[in-house]
Amino acid sequence: MNGQFISFEGPDGAGKTTVLKEMVAYFEKEISGELVVTREPGGNPISEAIRKLILDPQNTMMDRRTEALLYAAARRQHLVEKVIPALQRNAVVFCDRYVDSSVAYQGAGREIGTDDVYKMNLFATEGILPNLTIYLDVPSEVGLKRIMNHRKNEINRLDLEKLDFHKRVREAYLALARQYPDRIKVINANQEEKVVQHDVRILLEEQLHSRLRG
Ligand SMILES: Nc1ncnc2c1ncn2[C@@H]1O[C@H](COP(=O)(O)OP(=O)(O)O)[C@@H](O)[C@H]1O
Ligand SMILES: [Mg+2]
């Protein structure tokens, strides 16, 4: 596979969707060849069905490990149907969340264990990891505030419980970045949008150097 696989990671509210949109607009014009933008479940019926099962509020009985296995199953199908073919066509693939999300959310957030979730995901993906992972780091309070912005009210008790969860998620992301410094690059996402975009663009230009138009 000759393509470039790049994932975007970070907690909710870190700014992944915002920065991805800008980077797509920019790099569509700057690189030669195909750019594929995707996120799990990515429109394939099997992954969609699995995600529906995970997110169905009726499934209050769902065990944490069941949930982690289902996320990994949906990930594999998306990988096989969409990402691998794109990489085989020599495309650049931007993916909103991948393996590290499960490590952070299921492994640390839901406290199943980050090492086990990582290993299980390596099985699911046959070890296919991104060439580059851009991790958008924000303090948990900042991420939560951004996603609750439209509500305008102060943080309540339930949100504070959520804060613990989000802090575990962030710590796990930071630990992954320390463990895999060649793959995962940390961006300070607690900056103005323009500054975040600039920092992400520099990383992408470096990674996609050989594909940039003259
Ligand atoms: N650097 C930034 N500073 C302030 N607000 C931001 C920044 N980046 C994104 N936002 C806002 O935060 C909210 C969540 O951003 P979004 O891109 O959807 O995050 P994610 O996809 O990581 O959950 C949106 O309302 C967005 O406009
Ligand atoms: Mg998003």
Side-chain angles (χ1 to χ4, degrees):
M1 288 191 290
N2 295 316
Q4 280 286 326
F5 183 18
I6 299 169
S7 65
F8 292 74
E9 291 282 357
D12 286 326
K16 297 179 296 299
T17 301
T18 307
V19 84
L20 245 168
K21 201 169 140 236
E22 290 297 322
M23 293 306 112
V24 171
Y26 182 81
F27 282 97
E28 251 170 5
K29 297 189 204 102
E30 292 298 314
I31 60 172
S32 52
E34 190 187 359
L35 175 63
V36 172
V37 187
T38 189
R39 62 182 305 163
E40 298 158 345
N44 81 78
I46 295 171
S47 300
E48 298 277 3
I50 297 169
R51 294 279 289 216
K52 215 170 140 202
L53 202 61
I54 299 171
L55 300 175
D56 187 344
Q58 300 258 322
N59 288 336
T60 51
M61 283 293 288
M62 184 163 309
D63 172 78
R64 293 174 297 178
R65 285 171 189 260
T66 307
E67 184 189 67
L69 287 159
L70 288 172
Y71 271 120
R75 172 162 303 129
R76 170 151 191 88
Q77 196 63 32
H78 170 252
L79 180 73
V80 168
E81 285 199 36
K82 194 157 184 184
V83 179
I84 291 175
L87 296 174
Q88 283 170 340
R89 293 194 305 271
N90 198 27
V92 173
V93 179
F94 287 173
C95 190
D96 189 335
R97 295 191 179 283
Y98 190 60
V99 164
D100 303 302
S101 282
S102 282
V103 175
Y105 281 85
Q106 272 62 56
R110 299 226 187 281
E111 300 181 297
I112 310 174
T114 51
D115 287 347
D116 284 346
V117 173
Y118 198 77
K119 278 186 210 136
M120 192 262 286
N121 272 275
L122 290 184
F123 170 77
T125 59
E126 289 175 280
I128 296 176
L129 287 169
N131 300 95
L132 170 70
T133 296
I134 295 179
Y135 165 54
L136 300 179
D137 184 54
V138 284
S140 306
E141 293 85 349
V142 173
L144 279 175
K145 245 182 224 147
R146 282 185 192 169
I147 53 182
M148 294 190 318
N149 227 359
H150 62 281
R151 269 170 35 192
K152 289 223 165 72
N153 53 352
E154 284 306 297
I155 294 180
N156 61 33
R157 185 186 56 80
L158 274 179
D159 296 325
L160 283 175
E161 282 175 17
K162 272 192 244 159
L163 192 57
D164 256 11
F165 178 92
H166 285 276
K167 283 185 169 165
R168 289 199 298 277
V169 167
R170 185 189 185 204
E171 282 314 309
Y173 270 130
L174 289 170
L176 280 166
R178 285 191 298 271
Q179 201 173 351
Y180 304 104
D182 291 339
R183 173 170 70 86
I184 306 176
K185 303 298 176 197
V186 182
I187 292 287
N188 174 10
N190 190 17
Q191 307 183 86
E192 277 185 33
E193 273 177 40
K194 289 283 171 215
V195 181
V196 176
Q197 282 162 24
H198 170 268
D199 292 355
V200 172
R201 185 166 56 75
I202 299 294
L203 280 180
L204 288 173
E205 278 174 346
E206 219 174 314
Q207 185 69 27
L208 301 174
H209 179 72
S210 63
R211 288 158 185 265
L212 296 178
R213 293 178 196 278

